[in-house]
Amino acid sequence: MTDVRKRQSVAIVGAGAAGTLTAVQLCETAHRRRTPLDLVLVDPAPEAGRGAAYATRDPRHRLNVPAGNMSAYPDDPGHFVRWLCRHGEPAVTGADFATRYRYGAYLADTLGQAMVRAHGTVAVRRLRTRAESCTGTPDGRVELRLATGGPLTADGAVLATGPAGTTAGWAPPALRTSPRFVAAPWTPGALDPVRDSPEDILLVGTGLTAVDLALTLDRPGRTLHALSRSGLLPQPHALGPAGAMPAPDHLDDTSLGRLRRAVWRHVSRSVRTHGDWRPALDSLRPHTARLWRSLTPEEREEFLAREGALWNTHRHRMAPATAEHVSRARTARRLHVHTGTVTRVTATETGTLAVELSNGHVLHVGWVVDCTGPGRRLDDPLWQRLFGSGTAVPGPLGMGAATRDGRLLDARGRTGLPLFTLGAPRRGELWETTAIPEIRVQAAELAQRILPPEPVRRRPGRRPLDGNGQPLSTRAEAAAAYRGGLDRVLKVRAGAEEAFARAVALDPGFALGHAALALLGHECAAAVDVPRALADAQRAARERADERERSFVAVVTRRVTGDDGDQALVRHLREHPGDALALAAAVPTIAFSGVSDLQDADALRLLELTSPAYDGHWFHTSLLAFLRQEQGRLHEAGELAHRALAAEPASGHAVHALAHVHYESGAHEAGRDWLDGWVSGRGRGAVHRAHFSWHIALHELALDDPGAVRRRWFTQLAPGRVRGVRALVDSGSLLWRARLSDSWDGDLPTADVLDSVAREVLERPATAFTALHVAVALTAAGDLPALHRLRDHAAGADPVQREVIAPLCEAFAALVEERFHEAARGLDALLPVLARVGGSAAQREVVEETLLYALVADGRCDAARRLLDARLDRKPAPRDRRLRAALLP
């Protein structure tokens, strides 16, 4: 591959939301493609990301879109919600409405993080000034003339200037010249005299701007008047999800009349089906731009005149809290809404204004505030000069500017200068283009057009390989880091996450490195922002990856989203049997939960399928050893584990298989001593060292040595030494098993375990295996409400969680409530299907032990004895013999 890139320069005029999102995408695209870039943001505002929309500090001003739809990235919808959780709002959900000021902070921070990641590839400058004109240069570049007097030359420019300003053309001359008329209410300080005045106020306009200003200016003793031609306020968002529905059929090639009838029928169907019109309108969102373009200019004008206000008030809604405030103000008669226009304004002797309306009413107010929203024509000096020179032309109906996929068209209908725009200036051609969900897509598309990928040039025979001979679409340094991470994953050694992170730092466009990080974060609780890593992997795979790498990215995507990830993984291995990381993820051992419905025979066939690609390699032998012990072929498993350890003494998978052989065969003393020696020696660098300590503690439990169990827990398994999912799987489950077998006196320190786990993991576990251990820990803590929340989450998650974890939570809840008969019945029914959650038989054994406890508590000693007899037949254990003896008639 070649790393030679021409250094490009791009100017972004405007650093509000649209300009910031464009800058983020340009930074990340340039960094991923290793394209040197000089980026200049031109805006007089003191801070990027805010603009007029997100500069307000009033905490009552909230976004009019739920947080879950406000991510800066179109391919990472949860990014904003995760940012809020990390910045002081851990309980926020995607359905909440954040404040507008917080969103401005999010945009600024997201740009800052993108700049940090791209440092060395992208150089960013901020110029706090205005661009007043733009012309072309002889070499095809653009030259911006700044208000400070100097020129700025760049290879291209993005005009992210936001919506056109208000014109106040509706206002009589006497009002426009009055000192009591506020024409630009979002200008800093413009509302100060209004806010401090006790007089009544007229807000001209009843849209979202008027609503926000009504919240700010509402106070006891003052009356607010809101006036518009329609007299319609924005509709509120629903308090909860109303459901989803597809868009109606046959929307193409239709006249406005037929389209109008189709939409009304669609809305009526939504009301009948969901009891709400909102799902119908929301289903049209992906089609709005196409439908708008299909209309003739005359039909567009007719739509604006007849349905424009109705569409806007239903499409652009208020947050529920905002709607509640407005409703209270109207009920208390502090807010009056009028239908009409202003016809005449005169000043009274007291200095107030007498405002005559077209409906015959006269309002006496101290102030009039223009809330009519943006005009049609872009009136900024920069745009006016572009229109005047023919470099740009107004868009349809005179709204915004004409473009071809975001690039400005000149007077001859051609894409002349490398000038681009997005957001509000494209309103004439797209209609719906001012909300973040539309702008972020346009920003990503502009970055692709401005910085197209260069073709990858490979020299024959020089492509780097992973440790198993699989080609890698990256350069040598990143490949070496990736090989190190893969080696650590296969050996179950610490440091894999750091090695993969180093690989993507060396090559941000390395899809496989990002996918490996996403997999570790999703299944191993590594400190990885999984959705971001996954989005990076998907972007990189589209630009530079071979078929195997794209397939692996698709597999990880499906595993994270729960979309048939298991079967996709098996299909991938059939096509690419030498992919060791995929094989490690498929076979449930210690590193990954594996394919949840992979039965022993299926797993054996998978290992047989992949065997030729490994030719007796210690990793493949280690997996086979683990599988053999799961099948009960303990002697064969032990031989295979010893063979793998002879080739690679650090093979954590082989050690893990041998630990299970000792436990399942009842060799508790030998297993305890051998594993304790390994943990103290070669096992010091094991990433799952706590799990090996858990295995030793299982032997100590079986040997009926409560003192040893407590010492093991406090020295090697207590929170502080173990955190996250590992604390659930090992520390939490051990505490519960110790309590069930009377091996722990006093209160269980389960709260410490739960406190060491991220709230997201406890409330919304990503896998059934994790959910099982969350349920165990919550049962040990006696937290019935949390068990119910986990049940509700599982009921809406993947099939294994729905069919196994949800009823398991019901059974555990019955146990907490001492409904032991119901608990025993539920647990007994789940034993045959419990293997679907993944993990090992030793881990799932905690459910059987809970069943034993429920049977004894329910007085069903015969059933408890039969269960203990079956356990003792499988493997002898002093503890089980003690429990069995206590159950004699």
Side-chain angles (χ1 to χ4, degrees), residues 555 559 565-589 593-615 619-621 623-624 627-628 631:
V555 164
R559 286 185 76 79
D566 287 349
Q567 294 306 312
L569 180 54
V570 173
R571 288 194 297 269
H572 173 83
L573 282 167
R574 290 197 184 106
E575 295 293 327
H576 310 283
D579 193 330
L581 184 54
L583 185 60
V587 180
T589 58
S593 60
V595 174
S596 60
D597 59 353
L598 197 66
Q599 302 300 316
D600 289 346
D602 297 327
L604 181 59
R605 282 194 292 270
L606 191 59
L607 287 180
E608 290 173 346
L609 172 72
T610 56
S611 179
Y614 293 89
D615 192 26
F619 167 64
H620 196 272
T621 303
L623 297 185
L624 184 58
L627 176 60
R628 290 305 189 205
Q631 294 175 311

Side-chain angles (χ1 to χ4, degrees), residues 40-86:
V40 185
L41 275 72
V42 182
D43 193 307
E47 186 178 359
R50 295 204 178 275
Y54 308 116
T56 171
R57 290 181 176 271
D58 192 329
R60 292 166 294 189
H61 291 171
R62 296 193 169 269
L63 299 173
N64 64 309
V65 175
N69 293 336
M70 290 294 286
S71 168
Y73 299 98
D75 52 1
D76 184 4
H79 189 259
F80 178 45
V81 175
R82 298 198 307 278
W83 185 90
L84 288 171
C85 292
R86 292 194 301 266

Side-chain angles (χ1 to χ4, degrees), residues 401-410 412-416 419-421 426 429 446 449:
T403 78
R404 181 176 298 143
D405 296 328
R407 184 164 178 172
L408 293 185
L409 297 176
D410 61 19
R412 290 180 287 184
R414 301 184 306 184
T415 53
L419 289 174
F420 305 84
T421 192
R426 298 186 65 186
E429 63 183 26
L446 279 187
R449 294 190 184 99

Side-chain angles (χ1 to χ4, degrees), residues 14-38:
T20 298
L21 291 174
T22 304
V24 168
Q25 291 291 341
L26 285 170
C27 283
E28 299 204 346
T29 302
H31 181 50
R32 187 170 61 251
R33 296 175 178 173
R34 301 198 299 278
T35 301
L37 175 66
D38 292 322

